[in-house]
């Protein structure tokens, strides 16, 4: 990125819409606008697609994170007014990541094969088989650019290192070895109640009063024991905060929403024949999603320029209205609308006050208040956390690891069959909502300490290095290993950590004005909320246009192809 | 595959299907011409394949292919390679047909036939089956075929058991898988395979397994069916046992000639009137058995070995298997007192329907006393009329209680040898009872209630006669009453079950039984019946039961109940007087059990519903006298068959012709008009009294 090759000037210089950043929301908007026959210029300062939703090679991840960790120096020169009718407002980037902590225990191996890794910046993430992202992929035909595999199971973890399978279906309840007969009966009856309610059966309708009450109260009312309550709240409805402690809970789930979550989960299981679990994961990582929508936009005529930083915003001197952007190449490009990656900040020239109309607009430039942070961790191991299964999700409900833990911690293990790492290795994505970096670190460390062996000497761990030579053979072992299927014994050897990256990410919402910022990766497991926000932004900038009208489907016959290949 | 709604066909679909039908008809016509002319050329055989691919249900085409295969195999230039290719072709045709309709009986059968030729590899079959069983895991055709393949491959039952487990884990709502599991376990039990030697080791695990299914979804029936099988495995002892007998062990039988019983010294339970100088010996087993004959059951009376004694099964069907067996022992009038010894099962040969040998030889001995006959019988019996009316009974006297108590015990055979072996059965039942009480505390579940009732009943039955009363009978009765309210569709079934429990309760102890024993007004003058009448009237019974405790009854009042059937009553061989007044018997054929009661003299079937329903659904279970089997009986009496009225009333003829009734009440039934009564008189020339009127 240091030496940007000289770019030929972009032609034309006027577009309907300029989108800066190729994260998933930006890419979807670019694709939707292109589909609506708008002329779109999609820019990204990075040499890759996906921005904060990308999947990066191992060596590139730390540099990407740190490049967004400190605010670049303030504008080099006070914004000089052009001779023409525009004021220049310089862009700055907003620091997004903090407390970045990279540990390598096997430097040689990983350095050599850095490009074999595709590490998600915003992990852990999965697609529910019936969620909005899958619908969007199918509706737009974008699924033809991607392949998926099934995330086969969900487990709930405890502080002893046990992983308990989540009885999320009739067959799973039947098979489950940890639930008692009474618990099985209660859980299945609850599922039936929800199914009956969703199917609109009159005699099992859940009352409006119950629907508006907290989900946890409803579960209590149904007489569900604590263990099952925890399964439903945190491993199926995916609640983030401790639902039973209103003091700390920032997202108290209503029964209505809880049931919607259950419906989503239920509809996801068995939707695709070769997906055994509720979730899908894209081969080559989550970054593929952004890239696929960019491809979709390009097919519709969107112009792409990567490695192209934008330096300033061009604003009408008199009205303070947005006019265009100045690129790092010095070229000015004009458009009616602008979509910004939320890391961009517009800085006002020092000592100068903006023109009056702009000042009025300014509150909209600043991003909404912080909604806290999310702590993320990426770990690489060479053995699976569970011997007989390679791709799965683990949820640590609030207070399952230590008493002060008030949020759920989620962990996703993805194996090399999804082309995210070297054969025989596993990537673990961990995340938890937190108030500050220290709290976040504590949450991520708690999971790592429970599940992994962290070598003491991070620089030269000979044992690990010698072991890595056997990685080739480990690939075969992965499939041949069998297990009783019960929860993993805490006495078993824990996987050894080869590499880890821990960092905290700011949480910001997207916002809408004549300049719109897209949302940052959120703390959720899937993209439903992000797609909702993206849809709202699109509606805001193009209220007349339909968001991917049905007729835009070019290849209706590929509709069923979203099923993952196995 | 299941629960898909049928859609109305669209016009274009109809057009397509009529075009298809036309094509099919053309194919069929051509095929039949090949078939009739026995043409087995390549083209002809291929045509049949085409036909089967469209319509796998064409049995003729399958048969034609079998003929064609036989034709090829008999050709002189036939060699192993050509055989294999012919048979492989067949397998391919079957596979295509199954793809069209995997529920085609003809196709599956053809495949079996091809494989039975023994030239084809069976290894492919499991692969094929996996495909079909994946498409529809409950498809019983595939499961049937799987059993065939597993047997042919000599695949172990253990492996197949594991397979059913996998299928059940995938979806436990699978009757076929559970069924196959029961089949495999039965085979393993029979073989006494390693690890399956002791049921008490295997069944608890199976119970544990099925509980997972039942508790997860009590509304799913497939699991309950398997549970019922497990319950049966737990309750039923392998080898059959003798449950009771008449006369009881250690009892005294007073055989009275034509009349004049004086009951001074003997128990009223075992005094018997006999015209013929013979009396019945009744053996009641706990499950249907075959092979009861004069070599497996020996009867010694004094020095007489009675080797020609004929044992007859008493069952509704005419099979040679029955729970109840009877033989008539003739006592020579010269021996006024003799001891009879009956030994059961000292020689092998009594075998249960499941193939288990009667293995607990038992010995019954009783004394027979003959009362000399008096000669003036004819006048007395004509004048006599028995009327089972309230005013004619008095409560059975306290003074006789002692003798009843003694003889009651003698009716029941105690199988002490089973107690220790049955401990695990008790434990298993107790555990199940606890388990289902818990389920019912969680959900209101009909089948759960029914299962609990069955469990409690089984528990009581097993503890009896060692425990003196049926501890759970009240609870069971309540469960059935509850079910009758909850589940109207199966009301009659619950009512029947409840009736049997009620009867078991009544007969379970001397005290409760005594409440139903009455003395007929002037027993001294009655030459026909014993002195005690068992009155089970007004109990809302819809079915009879507890026969093993009632073998001694000679006079039975079942009036004012709701009996629709009297199945099993044939066991009560001593019955001479029976009232079924005011019940719900709906047909003459429902009376069939009475045909086997040779001592029955007085019968009251008045005020039932015989003739109300034009269609008698039970008539098909009893053999028509016009069929070959009993036709010969008809021909014996030409005057009878030539009578049109009798031909039109063959059921009446069939039921009543063997009766030896003196007295019959049939008034209050639709069928009982004057014409019908005249038919009855014709059928039963010995009848003396009909509906209270003396006959000439």
């Amino acid at each position: 990125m240091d030496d940007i090759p000289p770019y030929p000037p972009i032609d034309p210089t006027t577009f309907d819409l300029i989108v800066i950043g190729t994260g998933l929301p930006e890419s979807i908007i670019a694709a939707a606008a292109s589909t609506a026959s708008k002329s779109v210029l999609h820019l990204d300062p990075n040499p890759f697609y996906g921005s904060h939703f990308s999947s990066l090679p191992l060596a590139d991840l730390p540099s990407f994170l740190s490049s967004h960790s400190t605010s670049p120096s303030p504008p080099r020169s006070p914004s000089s007014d052009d001779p023409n009718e525009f004021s220049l407002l310089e862009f700055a980037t907003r620091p997004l990541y903090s407390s970045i902590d990279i540990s390598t225990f096997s430097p040689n191996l990983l350095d050599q094969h850095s490009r074999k890794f595709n590490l998600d910046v915003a992990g852990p993430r999965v697609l529910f088989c019936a969620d909005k992202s899958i619908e969007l992929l199918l509706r737009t035909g974008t699924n033809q650019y991607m392949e998926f595999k099934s995330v086969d199971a969900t487990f709930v973890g405890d502080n002893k290192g046990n992983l308990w399978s989540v009885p999320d279906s009739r067959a799973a309840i039947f098979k489950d070895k940890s639930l008692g007969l009474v618990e099985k009966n209660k859980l299945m009856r609850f599922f039936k109640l929800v199914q009956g309610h969703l199917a609109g059966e009159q005699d099992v309708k859940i009352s409006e009063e119950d629907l508006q009450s907290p989900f946890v109260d409803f579960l209590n009312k149904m007489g569900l024991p604590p263990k099952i309550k925890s399964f439903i709240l945190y491993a199926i409805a995916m609640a983030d905060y401790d639902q039973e402690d209103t003091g700390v809970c920032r997202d108290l789930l209503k029964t209505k929403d809880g049931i919607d979550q259950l419906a989503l989960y239920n509809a996801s299981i068995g939707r695709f024949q070769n997906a055994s679990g509720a979730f899908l994961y894209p081969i080559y990582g989550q970054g593929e999603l952004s890239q696929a929508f960019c491809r979709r936009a390009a097919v519709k005529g969107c112009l792409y320029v990567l490695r192209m930083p934008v330096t300033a915003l061009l604003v009408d001197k008199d009205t303070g209205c947005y006019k265009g952007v100045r690129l790092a190449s010095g070229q000015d490009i004009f458009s009616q609308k602008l979509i910004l990656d939320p890391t961009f900040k517009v800085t006002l020239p020092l000592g100068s006050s903006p023109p009056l109309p702009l000042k009025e607009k300014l509150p909209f430039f600043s991003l909404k208040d912080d909604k806290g942070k999310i702590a993320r961790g990426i770990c690489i191991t060479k053995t699976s956390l569970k011997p007989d299964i390679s791709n799965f999700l683990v949820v640590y409900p609030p207070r399952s690891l230590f008493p002060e833990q008030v949020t759920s911690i989620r962990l996703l293990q993805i194996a090399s069959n999804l082309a995210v790492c070297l054969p025989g290795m596993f990537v673990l994505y961990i995340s938890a909502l937190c108030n500050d970096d220290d709290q976040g670190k504590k949450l991520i460390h708690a999971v790592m300490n429970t599940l992994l062996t962290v070598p003491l000497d991070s620089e030269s761990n000979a044992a690990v290095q010698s072991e890595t030579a056997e990685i080739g053979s480990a690939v075969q072992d992965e499939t041949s290993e069998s297990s009783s299927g019960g929860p993993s014994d805490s006495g078993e050897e824990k996987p050894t950590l080869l590499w880890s990256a821990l960092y905290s990410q700011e949480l910001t919402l997207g916002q809408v004005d004549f300049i719109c910022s897209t949302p940052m990766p959120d703390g959720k497991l899937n993209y439903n909320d992000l797609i909702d926000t993206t849809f709202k932004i699109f509606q805001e900038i193009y209220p007349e246009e339909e968001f991917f009208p049905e007729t835009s489907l070019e290849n209706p016959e590929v509709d069923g192809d979203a099923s993952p290949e196995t | 595959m299941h629960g898909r709604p049928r859609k109305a066909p669209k016009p274009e679909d109809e057009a397509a299907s009529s075009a298809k039908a036309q094509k099919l008809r053309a194919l069929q016509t051509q095929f039949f011409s090949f078939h009739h002319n026995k043409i087995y050329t390549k083209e002809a055989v291929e045509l049949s394949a085409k036909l089967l691919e469209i319509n796998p249900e064409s049995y003729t085409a399958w048969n034609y292919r079998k003929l064609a295969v036989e034709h090829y195999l008999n050709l002189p230039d036939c060699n192993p390679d050509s055989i294999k290719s012919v048979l492989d072709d067949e397998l391919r045709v079957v596979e295509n047909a199954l793809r069209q309709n995997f529920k085609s009986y003809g196709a599956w059968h053809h495949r079996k036939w091809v494989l039975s030729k023994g030239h084809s590899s069976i290894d492919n079959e499991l692969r094929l089956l996996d495909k079909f069983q994946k498409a529809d895991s409950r498809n019983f055709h595939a499961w049937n075929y799987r059993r065939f393949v597993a047997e042919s491959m000599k695949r172990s039952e253990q492996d197949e058991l594991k397979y059913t487990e996998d299928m059940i884990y995938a979806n436990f709502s699978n009757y076929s898988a559970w069924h196959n599991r029961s089949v495999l376990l039965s085979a393993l039990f029979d073989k006494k395979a390693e690890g399956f030697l002791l049921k008490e080791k295997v069944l608890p695990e199976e119970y544990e397994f099925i509980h997972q299914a039942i508790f997860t979804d009590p509304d799913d029936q497939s699991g309950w069916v398997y549970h019922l099988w497990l319950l049966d495995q737990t309750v039923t002892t392998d080898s059959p046992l003798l449950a009771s007998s008449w006369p009881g062990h250690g009892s005294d039988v007073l055989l009275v000639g034509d009349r004049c019983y004086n009951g001074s010294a003997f128990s009223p339970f075992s005094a018997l009137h006999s015209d013929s100088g013979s009396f019945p010996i009744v053996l009641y087993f706990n499950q249907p058995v075959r092979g009861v004959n004069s070599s497996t059951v020996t009867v010694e009376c004094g020095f007489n070995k009675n080797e020609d004694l004929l044992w007859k099964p008493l069952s509704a069907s005419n099979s040679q298997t029955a729970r109840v067996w009877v033989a008539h022992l003739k006592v020579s009038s010269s021996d006024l007192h003799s001891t009879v010894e009956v030994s059961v099962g000292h020689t092998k040969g009594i075998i249960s329907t499941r193939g288990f040998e009667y293995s607990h030889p038992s010995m019954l001995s009783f004394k027979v006393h003959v009362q000399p006959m008096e000669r003036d019988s004819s006048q007395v019996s004509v004048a006599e009329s028995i009327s089972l009316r309230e005013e004619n009974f008095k409560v059975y006297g306290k003074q006789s209680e002692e003798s009843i108590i003694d003889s009651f015990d003698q009716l029941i055979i105690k199988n002490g040898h089973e107690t220790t072996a049955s401990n695990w059965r008790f434990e298993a039942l107790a555990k199940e009872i606890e388990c289902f009480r818990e389920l019912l505390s969680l959900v209101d579940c009909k089948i759960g209630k029914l299962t609990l009732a069955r469990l409690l009943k089984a528990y009581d039955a097993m503890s009896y006669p060692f425990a003196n009363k049926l501890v759970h009978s009240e609870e069971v009765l309540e469960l059935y009453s509850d079910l009758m309210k909850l589940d109207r569709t199966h009301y009659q079934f619950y009512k029947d079950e409840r009736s049997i429990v009620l009867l078991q309760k009544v007969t379970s102890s001397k005290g409760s039984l005594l409440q139903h024993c009455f003395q007929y007004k002037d027993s001294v003058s009655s030459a026909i019946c014993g002195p005690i009448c068992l009155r089970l009237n007004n109990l809302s019974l819809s079915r009879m039961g507890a026969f093993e405790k009632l073998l001694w009854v000679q006079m039975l009042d079942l009036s004012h109940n709701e009996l629709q059937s009297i199945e099993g009553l044939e066991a009560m061989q001593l019955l001479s007087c029976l009232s079924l007044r005011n019940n719900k018997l709906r047909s003459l054929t429902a009376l069939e059990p009475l045909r086997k009661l040779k001592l029955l003299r007085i019968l009251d079937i008045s005020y039932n519903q015989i003739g109300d329903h034009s269609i008698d659904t039970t008539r098909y279970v009893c053999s028509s006298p016009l069929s070959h089997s009993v036709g010969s009986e008809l021909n014996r009496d030409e005057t009878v068959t030539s009578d049109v009225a009798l031909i039109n009333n063959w059921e009446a003829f069939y039921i009543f012709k063997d009766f030896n009734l003196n007295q019959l009440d049939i008034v209050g039934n639709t069928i009982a008009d004057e014409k019908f009564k005249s038919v009855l008189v014709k059928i039963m020339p010995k009848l003396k009294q009909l509906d209270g009127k003396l006959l000439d």
Side-chain angles (χ1 to χ4, degrees), chain A residues 15-28:
Chain A
F15 291 85
D16 290 333
L17 171 68
I18 295 174
V19 181
I20 300 173
T22 53
L24 185 62
E26 299 97 275
S27 305
I28 291 174

Side-chain angles (χ1 to χ4, degrees), chain A residues 169-177 179-189 192 273, chain B residues 168-173 178 209 211-213 215-220 435 438-439 442-443:
Chain A
S169 67
R170 209 172 95 116
I173 295 173
F174 170 66
K175 224 192 243 185
D176 193 277
K177 296 229 180 355
L179 291 179
L181 290 175
V182 173
E183 290 174 315
K184 288 187 175 195
N185 183 264
K186 285 185 169 172
L187 181 56
M188 190 60 211
R189 263 191 300 144
K192 276 190 171 180
Q273 224 181 6
Chain B
I168 288 165
Y169 273 136
N171 180 5
F172 62 84
S173 181
W178 288 114
F209 193 33
H211 288 161
Q212 310 300 319
F215 272 76
T216 301
D217 191 356
D219 295 339
D220 186 85
C435 187
E438 186 164 36
L439 180 70
L442 295 170
V443 284

Side-chain angles (χ1 to χ4, degrees), chain B residues 528-544:
Chain B
I528 292 172
C529 304
I532 297 178
C533 180
L534 180 67
R535 303 195 71 198
L536 300 170
N537 54 334
N538 270 318
L539 292 173
S540 298
L541 299 176
S542 63
R543 241 193 115 127
M544 251 320 262

